[in-house]
Each structure stands twice: as structure tokens, then as C-alpha cells.
Amino acid sequence: MRNPFLACAAVVLTAAALAACGSSADGNDPEAAGAQRPAASGPAVPGSTAGAPTASTPPAADATEGDGGDGAKPGAQGPIASAEGPKTPSDAITPATGTFTKQQKKYLEDRVPEGMDPAAVLQTGQETCDRLRYLVKADRDTAVGAVATGEIPDAAAAVTGLCPQHQDLVDEAAYAYPDGTHTGKALRPGDYRSVSPTQNCSWEITGAGGKQVSADTSTTGKSRTITIPKSARTFTSTGCYAWLPEGDRG
């Protein structure tokens, strides 16, 4: 089940997008709808978990890491493949009214199925950027966690093409662990903190032969810090939403 804080943010941003229908690419400004959005508990401090919104249930998406190749990034959500089928040629991507900027055209390349309004595809990417912008102001860790879990889909592509100022969120999410089971080379030793954990956040770290290295459950709903040792072979998390690296990638 989705993080309710993020779901609420999505509803508000969708309402704002509908209200601003027909506006330019820069017209759907999340700050304009800020007064209607749920306020974070306490002042938002980027990088701090104090007063951070918490999830009531873990995300439903399967976060299991199985391939574990070199350079594996457990929490990374790469660009979601565009809909299958023929795409509109780049030189034919034009809006019904007005014009696209060079940046917008670049984002839309090979992303617009034939017969689809490219403005609709662009709006999806803009809404992703809006959600990130809003979440960063409320709580940066939650924003990174949402990218790591895939709760904000296609974030990497939207950031690269439309809002590169949020590239740091995508970069950090690439070294995070969403709920699920992570094994092999996908594991990196280091310290990690939980983001938006539920009151039933549990984790287990096992070593060679499945021998348990550490395991615990937190019922406080508050962030916890764990250490993944070099001897770890499997890390399993449930109800903790996501684990972000402390320091330089853990």
C-alpha cells in the first residue's frame, strides 16, 4: 500500500494540474497550491528525519534485487520504458497550440506513442517534477525514499529531462534500499537510516550459509539506524519503507 503522505501529495498536485489546464510548462507551480497541501509535521529541514511524514504501510511494489551485477543500484528506478509500439518521430512532435522548448522536445523524444497527444506525456513528467519539488520542501528523506521505492515512477527520466535540479535525489536513491530482499553484490556495507517506517518495521541481515547476523523490529514508527557489515549476504526489510545511506553512500 502506498505511503499516505505521498498519496495525499499526488491528489493535491493532480487537482492543481486540472485547475491549471491549458497553462504553459511552467504554470503548474506546486508552490501555488501549497496552501491546500498537508503541512509537514514541524518545519521542513532538508536531510533531517525530524518531523518527517511516516508511512502507515510498506509499499506494495516488489523490491527484490536478484541480478546483483557490478554497479547494481538497489534503490534506483531507471526510466520506465515508454509504451510499446510505434513512436511519433521527433520532428513530428508538436503541441496542439504554442511550442515546446528545446528541453521539453528532448524529453519527449522516443516517448510519445503514435496518436497520443505529446502534451499529455509532457504533463506526466512535469507532475513528477512537481511531486519531487513539493516533497523536498516537506521532507527531503521522504522524497529520496519515494524515488527509491518507485512510488514516484519514472523519476530518473523526468529529472534528467525536465528538472535536473533534483538530480541529487535520484543519485542518493540509487544507493538506498526499499522494503524487500537484497542479496549479493547489491549489498554495500555501511550505515543506513529508515525513512517513514511503520510501527511494525522489521529487518534481518544474514551472512554466509544463511546465518543470522542481526535482526530487530521497531514499533515506534521513528527512524532507526542499522549497519550492514561486510559479511552480509542478504538484507531483508519489511514495513520500513526505505533505508537511506548515512554519509558517503553508507
Side-chain angles (χ1 to χ4, degrees):
M1 187 174 181
R2 298 173 62 191
N3 185 324
F5 175 79
L6 297 173
C8 186
V11 170
V12 174
L13 288 170
T14 299
L18 291 174
C21 183
S23 63
S24 67
D26 295 328
N28 189 17
D29 186 356
E31 285 87 345
Q36 301 175 12
R37 290 169 173 158
S41 176
V45 180
S48 170
T49 56
T54 57
S56 60
T57 54
D62 182 4
T64 302
E65 296 293 335
D67 49 17
D70 288 343
K73 299 179 179 180
Q77 288 292 324
I80 295 176
S82 301
E84 294 182 2
K87 303 296 189 300
T88 302
S90 299
D91 57 2
I93 297 177
T94 56
T97 60
T99 60
F100 289 133
T101 66
K102 184 176 180 180
Q103 180 188 46
Q104 291 167 346
K105 278 191 173 183
K106 181 68 175 176
Y107 171 74
L108 291 171
E109 286 181 3
D110 200 36
R111 300 185 67 82
V112 182
E114 284 188 357
M116 178 176 285
D117 182 359
V121 177
L122 177 62
Q123 181 178 337
T124 298
Q126 290 172 331
E127 288 174 351
T128 294
C129 290
D130 287 346
R131 292 183 69 187
L132 289 173
R133 187 180 302 120
Y134 168 59
L135 286 173
V136 164
K137 289 187 174 183
D139 183 77
R140 185 180 183 283
D141 277 2
T142 300
V144 176
V147 175
T149 62
E151 190 148 356
I152 296 184
D154 210 9
V159 166
T160 299
L162 300 173
C163 47
Q165 69 270 26
H166 295 311
Q167 186 61 49
D168 62 315
L169 303 179
V170 175
D171 291 344
E172 185 172 347
Y175 292 91
Y177 292 109
D179 272 344
T181 299
H182 310 273
T183 62
K185 293 182 180 179
L187 289 180
R188 294 172 307 282
D191 296 329
Y192 296 82
R193 64 186 181 280
S194 57
V195 177
S196 296
T198 69
Q199 293 185 337
N200 187 24
C201 166
S202 60
W203 61 92
E204 180 182 38
I205 299 172
T206 59
K211 182 179 180 180
Q212 187 179 87
V213 175
S214 66
D216 204 350
T217 297
S218 174
T219 59
T220 65
K222 296 181 180 180
S223 180
R224 292 287 299 271
T225 299
I226 63 172
T227 297
I228 296 180
K230 292 182 179 180
S231 60
R233 294 294 179 270
T234 301
F235 170 51
T236 302
S237 169
T238 304
C240 306
Y241 191 54
W243 298 85
L244 306 189
E246 293 276 17
D248 186 15
R249 299 175 181 176

